[in-house]
C-alpha cells in the first residue's frame, strides 16, 4: 500500500519566515508533486520532480522553491512566507508510466500570520 | 494543455445513480482522463482512469464518447459516504518532462438521506 507522509498536518508561521514542508513516499516512485489547494480554486500545481535533483515549475511556482536530494523525499520551501501563501499544501507521488495515478499525502494546512 | 470544466456542485439522495460530466474540448490525442475523490481534510484519492469508450471498476464507471471532448463519471447507488469533491483530470501518463496534469475545479457532491 502506497504511503505518502507529510511532516506536519498544521503549521503556523509569521510573515517573512523561511518555511520547509517535507514529503516522503515509500513506494520508490520517480515522480513527486507539490500542490496547493484553496477554496474555489481547486488544486494548483506548484512544482513537480521526475527524478532526484530534477524539478519543473508547475502553474504557480512564484514564491516557492523545491529540493529533491533523495528519491523518496521532496521538500517545498517558502523562502519568505507571506499571508497569501496561507493554504492547504498537498504532496503526491506516482510512477512515470502512470503519472495520472497520483498518491496523495494528508496535506499540511499552513497559516502565515 | 487541456482545460476542464465541471459543475461546481450537485445534490443527490441515497440509492440514486449520480453522473458527473467533465468537458475537455482541447484534449490531446495521447491524454488520459482520470477522476479523483476528496473527502474533507484528506488528500485526493484516485477513482478511475480511461482513454476511450467505457471503463468500470468496483467504485465507478467512466464513459467517454468517441470525440473524447467530455467524460462522465457514474457512481451507482450513492450513499452518504460518497459526499465528497470529485475532480476531473486530463493529461498524459507522462514520463520525464513530457507533460503535466491539470486538475479541474472539482464538483462537490452532496448526498442526502
Amino acid at each position: 500500500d502506497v504511503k505518502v507522509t507529510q511532516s506536519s498536518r498544521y503549521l503556523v508561521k509569521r510573515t517573512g519566515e523561511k518555511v520547509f514542508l517535507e514529503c516522503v513516499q515509500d513506494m520508490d516512485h520517480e515522480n513527486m508533486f507539490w500542490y496547493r489547494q484553496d477554496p474555489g480554486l481547486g488544486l494548483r500545481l506548484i512544482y513537480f520532480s521526475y527524478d532526484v535533483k530534477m524539478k519543473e515549475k508547475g502553474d504557480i511556482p512564484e514564491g516557492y522553491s523545491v529540493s529533491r536530494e533523495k528519491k523518496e523525499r521532496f521538500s517545498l520551501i517558502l523562502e519568505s512566507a507571506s499571508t497569501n501563501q496561507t493554504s492547504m499544501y498537498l504532496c503526491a507521488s506516482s510512477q512515470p508510466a502512470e503519472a495520472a495515478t497520483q498518491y496523495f499525502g494528508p496535506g499540511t494546512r499552513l497559516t502565515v500570520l | 494543455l487541456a482545460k476542464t470544466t465541471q459543475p461546481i456542485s450537485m445534490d443527490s439522495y441515497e440509492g440514486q445513480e449520480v453522473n458527473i460530466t467533465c468537458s475537455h474540448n482541447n484534449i490531446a490525442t495521447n491524454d488520459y482522463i482520470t477522476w479523483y475523490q476528496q473527502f474533507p481534510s484528506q488528500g485526493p484519492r484516485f477513482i478511475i482512469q480511461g482513454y476511450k469508450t467505457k471503463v468500470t471498476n468496483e467504485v465507478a464507471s467512466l464513459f467517454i464518447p468517441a470525440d473524447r471532448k467530455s467524460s462522465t463519471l457514474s457512481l451507482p447507488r450513492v450513499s452518504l459516504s460518497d459526499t465528497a469533491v470529485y475532480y476531473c483530470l486530463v493529461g498524459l501518463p507522462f514520463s520525464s518532462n513530457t507533460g503535466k496534469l491539470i486538475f479541474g475545479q472539482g464538483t462537490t457532491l452532496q448526498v442526502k438521506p
Side-chain angles (χ1 to χ4, degrees), chain A residues 3-19:
Chain A
K3 192 169 183 181
V4 179
T5 57
Q6 296 183 227
S7 50
S8 305
R9 289 302 304 271
Y10 301 93
L11 207 54
V12 179
K13 296 291 182 180
R14 296 205 175 273
T15 301
E17 281 192 79
K18 191 168 185 176
V19 182

Side-chain angles (χ1 to χ4, degrees), chain A residues 9 37 40 56 96 100 102, chain B residues 36 38 49 87 94 97 101 105:
Chain A
R9 289 302 304 271
Q37 184 172 30
E56 284 210 12
Q102 298 181 17
Chain B
Y36 283 78
Q38 186 178 23
Q49 182 180 78
Y87 288 95
F94 70 96
N97 56 347
L101 305 176
Q105 292 296 310

Side-chain angles (χ1 to χ4, degrees), chain B residues 16-87:
Chain B
Q16 288 187 333
E17 178 184 74
V18 171
N19 295 309
I20 306 174
T21 297
C22 178
S23 297
H24 28 79
N25 292 318
N26 297 322
I27 189 169
T29 302
N30 294 329
D31 283 347
Y32 279 68
I33 299 156
T34 312
W35 285 79
Y36 283 78
Q37 175 191 55
Q38 186 178 23
F39 299 112
S41 301
Q42 294 186 27
R45 181 178 74 104
F46 171 87
I47 301 177
I48 196 167
Q49 182 180 78
Y51 182 79
K52 62 180 179 180
T53 63
K54 177 183 174 182
V55 179
T56 297
N57 62 22
E58 65 278 3
V59 176
S61 294
L62 178 60
F63 298 92
I64 305 169
D67 65 7
R68 301 197 338 116
K69 293 184 183 300
S70 67
S71 58
T72 299
L73 175 73
S74 181
L75 304 172
R77 297 181 297 281
V78 295
S79 63
L80 295 177
S81 62
D82 291 315
T83 293
V85 179
Y86 292 83
Y87 288 95

